[in-house]
Short mmCIF file of all heavy atoms in Angstrom, two decimals:
data_model
loop_
_atom_site.label_atom_id
_atom_site.label_comp_id
_atom_site.label_asym_id
_atom_site.label_seq_id
_atom_site.Cartn_x
_atom_site.Cartn_y
_atom_site.Cartn_z
N LEU A 504 0.83 -1.21 0.00
CA LEU A 504 0.00 0.00 0.00
C LEU A 504 0.86 1.25 0.00
O LEU A 504 0.56 2.23 -0.69
CB LEU A 504 -0.94 -0.01 1.21
CG LEU A 504 -2.12 -0.97 1.13
CD1 LEU A 504 -2.81 -1.07 2.49
CD2 LEU A 504 -3.12 -0.53 0.06
N ASN A 505 1.94 1.23 0.77
CA ASN A 505 2.86 2.36 0.78
C ASN A 505 3.50 2.55 -0.59
O ASN A 505 3.66 3.69 -1.06
CB ASN A 505 3.92 2.14 1.85
CG ASN A 505 4.91 3.28 1.93
OD1 ASN A 505 6.05 3.17 1.49
ND2 ASN A 505 4.49 4.40 2.49
N GLY A 506 3.86 1.42 -1.23
CA GLY A 506 4.44 1.51 -2.57
C GLY A 506 3.45 2.06 -3.59
O GLY A 506 3.82 2.84 -4.49
N ILE A 507 2.18 1.69 -3.45
CA ILE A 507 1.14 2.21 -4.33
C ILE A 507 1.01 3.73 -4.16
O ILE A 507 0.90 4.48 -5.13
CB ILE A 507 -0.20 1.51 -4.05
CG1 ILE A 507 -0.15 0.07 -4.57
CG2 ILE A 507 -1.36 2.27 -4.68
CD1 ILE A 507 -1.33 -0.79 -4.12
N ALA A 508 1.03 4.19 -2.91
CA ALA A 508 0.92 5.62 -2.64
C ALA A 508 2.10 6.39 -3.24
O ALA A 508 1.93 7.48 -3.81
CB ALA A 508 0.83 5.86 -1.14
N GLU A 509 3.30 5.82 -3.12
CA GLU A 509 4.48 6.50 -3.67
C GLU A 509 4.42 6.59 -5.19
O GLU A 509 4.72 7.63 -5.78
CB GLU A 509 5.75 5.75 -3.23
CG GLU A 509 6.04 5.88 -1.74
CD GLU A 509 7.25 5.08 -1.31
OE1 GLU A 509 7.73 4.24 -2.11
OE2 GLU A 509 7.72 5.28 -0.17
N LYS A 510 4.01 5.50 -5.85
CA LYS A 510 3.91 5.52 -7.31
C LYS A 510 2.78 6.45 -7.77
O LYS A 510 2.92 7.18 -8.76
CB LYS A 510 3.70 4.12 -7.85
CG LYS A 510 3.71 4.04 -9.38
CD LYS A 510 3.71 2.63 -9.89
CE LYS A 510 3.67 2.59 -11.43
NZ LYS A 510 4.86 3.23 -12.03
N ALA A 511 1.68 6.44 -7.03
CA ALA A 511 0.56 7.32 -7.38
C ALA A 511 0.97 8.79 -7.30
O ALA A 511 0.56 9.61 -8.13
CB ALA A 511 -0.61 7.04 -6.45
N ALA A 512 1.80 9.11 -6.30
CA ALA A 512 2.27 10.49 -6.16
C ALA A 512 3.14 10.89 -7.36
O ALA A 512 3.04 12.02 -7.86
CB ALA A 512 3.05 10.65 -4.86
N VAL A 513 3.96 9.96 -7.83
CA VAL A 513 4.82 10.24 -8.98
C VAL A 513 4.00 10.37 -10.26
O VAL A 513 4.22 11.28 -11.08
CB VAL A 513 5.89 9.13 -9.14
CG1 VAL A 513 6.65 9.29 -10.45
CG2 VAL A 513 6.85 9.13 -7.95
N GLU A 514 3.02 9.47 -10.42
CA GLU A 514 2.23 9.44 -11.65
C GLU A 514 1.06 10.43 -11.64
O GLU A 514 0.45 10.67 -12.68
CB GLU A 514 1.67 8.03 -11.86
CG GLU A 514 2.73 6.94 -11.99
CD GLU A 514 3.53 7.05 -13.27
OE1 GLU A 514 3.07 7.76 -14.22
OE2 GLU A 514 4.62 6.46 -13.36
N GLY A 515 0.75 10.98 -10.48
CA GLY A 515 -0.37 11.89 -10.38
C GLY A 515 -1.71 11.20 -10.33
O GLY A 515 -2.74 11.80 -10.66
N TRP A 516 -1.72 9.96 -9.90
CA TRP A 516 -2.97 9.20 -9.80
C TRP A 516 -3.72 9.59 -8.52
O TRP A 516 -3.13 9.73 -7.46
CB TRP A 516 -2.71 7.70 -9.76
CG TRP A 516 -2.09 7.13 -11.00
CD1 TRP A 516 -2.17 7.61 -12.26
CD2 TRP A 516 -1.27 5.94 -11.07
NE1 TRP A 516 -1.47 6.81 -13.13
CE2 TRP A 516 -0.91 5.78 -12.43
CE3 TRP A 516 -0.82 5.01 -10.13
CZ2 TRP A 516 -0.11 4.73 -12.85
CZ3 TRP A 516 -0.04 3.97 -10.55
CH2 TRP A 516 0.31 3.82 -11.90
N GLU A 517 -5.02 9.71 -8.63
CA GLU A 517 -5.87 9.89 -7.44
C GLU A 517 -6.58 8.60 -7.08
O GLU A 517 -6.98 8.41 -5.93
CB GLU A 517 -6.91 10.99 -7.69
CG GLU A 517 -6.30 12.36 -7.88
CD GLU A 517 -7.35 13.43 -8.08
OE1 GLU A 517 -8.55 13.08 -8.12
OE2 GLU A 517 -6.97 14.63 -8.17
N ARG A 518 -6.75 7.72 -8.06
CA ARG A 518 -7.37 6.41 -7.83
C ARG A 518 -6.57 5.36 -8.57
O ARG A 518 -6.17 5.56 -9.71
CB ARG A 518 -8.82 6.40 -8.34
CG ARG A 518 -9.56 5.11 -7.98
CD ARG A 518 -10.98 5.09 -8.54
NE ARG A 518 -11.74 3.96 -8.01
CZ ARG A 518 -11.62 2.70 -8.43
NH1 ARG A 518 -10.75 2.42 -9.42
NH2 ARG A 518 -12.34 1.76 -7.87
N VAL A 519 -6.33 4.24 -7.89
CA VAL A 519 -5.54 3.16 -8.48
C VAL A 519 -6.30 1.86 -8.34
O VAL A 519 -6.60 1.42 -7.22
CB VAL A 519 -4.15 3.01 -7.79
CG1 VAL A 519 -3.29 2.02 -8.56
CG2 VAL A 519 -3.46 4.35 -7.66
N ASP A 520 -6.63 1.26 -9.46
CA ASP A 520 -7.21 -0.08 -9.43
C ASP A 520 -6.27 -1.02 -10.16
O ASP A 520 -5.16 -0.63 -10.56
CB ASP A 520 -8.62 -0.09 -10.02
CG ASP A 520 -8.66 0.43 -11.46
OD1 ASP A 520 -7.59 0.50 -12.11
OD2 ASP A 520 -9.76 0.76 -11.93
N LEU A 521 -6.69 -2.25 -10.35
CA LEU A 521 -5.81 -3.24 -10.95
C LEU A 521 -5.46 -2.89 -12.40
O LEU A 521 -4.34 -3.13 -12.85
CB LEU A 521 -6.47 -4.62 -10.88
CG LEU A 521 -5.57 -5.85 -11.03
CD1 LEU A 521 -4.39 -5.80 -10.06
CD2 LEU A 521 -6.38 -7.12 -10.80
N ARG A 522 -6.39 -2.26 -13.11
CA ARG A 522 -6.12 -1.87 -14.49
C ARG A 522 -5.06 -0.78 -14.55
O ARG A 522 -4.12 -0.85 -15.35
CB ARG A 522 -7.41 -1.39 -15.15
CG ARG A 522 -7.23 -0.97 -16.63
CD ARG A 522 -8.47 -0.29 -17.15
NE ARG A 522 -8.76 0.94 -16.42
CZ ARG A 522 -8.14 2.10 -16.65
NH1 ARG A 522 -7.19 2.19 -17.56
NH2 ARG A 522 -8.47 3.17 -15.94
N VAL A 523 -5.19 0.21 -13.69
CA VAL A 523 -4.22 1.30 -13.65
C VAL A 523 -2.85 0.79 -13.21
O VAL A 523 -1.81 1.18 -13.77
CB VAL A 523 -4.70 2.43 -12.72
CG1 VAL A 523 -3.62 3.49 -12.51
CG2 VAL A 523 -5.97 3.07 -13.27
N TRP A 524 -2.85 -0.09 -12.22
CA TRP A 524 -1.58 -0.61 -11.69
C TRP A 524 -0.85 -1.46 -12.72
O TRP A 524 0.37 -1.45 -12.80
CB TRP A 524 -1.85 -1.42 -10.42
CG TRP A 524 -0.61 -1.83 -9.69
CD1 TRP A 524 -0.08 -3.08 -9.58
CD2 TRP A 524 0.28 -0.96 -8.98
NE1 TRP A 524 1.07 -3.06 -8.84
CE2 TRP A 524 1.31 -1.77 -8.45
CE3 TRP A 524 0.29 0.41 -8.72
CZ2 TRP A 524 2.35 -1.24 -7.69
CZ3 TRP A 524 1.33 0.93 -7.95
CH2 TRP A 524 2.34 0.10 -7.46
N GLY A 525 -1.61 -2.18 -13.53
CA GLY A 525 -1.02 -2.96 -14.61
C GLY A 525 -0.07 -4.05 -14.13
O GLY A 525 -0.36 -4.75 -13.15
N ASP A 526 1.08 -4.15 -14.78
CA ASP A 526 2.04 -5.21 -14.44
C ASP A 526 3.16 -4.72 -13.54
O ASP A 526 4.22 -5.36 -13.45
CB ASP A 526 2.62 -5.83 -15.71
CG ASP A 526 3.34 -4.80 -16.59
OD1 ASP A 526 3.37 -3.61 -16.22
OD2 ASP A 526 3.87 -5.19 -17.66
N THR A 527 2.95 -3.59 -12.87
CA THR A 527 3.94 -3.12 -11.90
C THR A 527 4.14 -4.19 -10.82
O THR A 527 3.17 -4.75 -10.31
CB THR A 527 3.48 -1.81 -11.24
OG1 THR A 527 3.22 -0.84 -12.25
CG2 THR A 527 4.56 -1.27 -10.30
N PRO A 528 5.39 -4.50 -10.46
CA PRO A 528 5.64 -5.59 -9.49
C PRO A 528 4.99 -5.33 -8.13
O PRO A 528 4.85 -4.19 -7.69
CB PRO A 528 7.17 -5.60 -9.38
CG PRO A 528 7.66 -5.00 -10.65
CD PRO A 528 6.64 -3.96 -11.02
N ILE A 529 4.60 -6.42 -7.50
CA ILE A 529 4.04 -6.40 -6.15
C ILE A 529 5.03 -7.10 -5.22
O ILE A 529 5.57 -8.16 -5.54
CB ILE A 529 2.68 -7.14 -6.09
CG1 ILE A 529 1.62 -6.39 -6.91
CG2 ILE A 529 2.20 -7.34 -4.67
CD1 ILE A 529 1.22 -5.07 -6.33
N TYR A 530 5.27 -6.49 -4.05
CA TYR A 530 6.19 -7.08 -3.08
C TYR A 530 5.56 -8.31 -2.45
O TYR A 530 4.47 -8.26 -1.89
CB TYR A 530 6.54 -6.06 -2.00
CG TYR A 530 7.31 -6.63 -0.82
CD1 TYR A 530 8.63 -7.04 -0.96
CD2 TYR A 530 6.70 -6.78 0.42
CE1 TYR A 530 9.32 -7.56 0.11
CE2 TYR A 530 7.39 -7.31 1.50
CZ TYR A 530 8.70 -7.69 1.34
OH TYR A 530 9.38 -8.23 2.41
N THR A 531 6.24 -9.46 -2.56
CA THR A 531 5.75 -10.70 -1.98
C THR A 531 6.66 -11.27 -0.91
O THR A 531 6.38 -12.31 -0.33
CB THR A 531 5.58 -11.77 -3.07
OG1 THR A 531 6.86 -12.06 -3.66
CG2 THR A 531 4.60 -11.31 -4.14
N GLY A 532 7.78 -10.58 -0.64
CA GLY A 532 8.72 -11.08 0.36
C GLY A 532 9.81 -11.96 -0.21
O GLY A 532 10.75 -12.32 0.49
#
């Protein structure tokens, strides 16, 4: 969630769903 907020700030997104997020990597540990 923190990573989503950081990328949204860079991209200027106000809403992020799975389509907007696309194939950006997700942290799985």
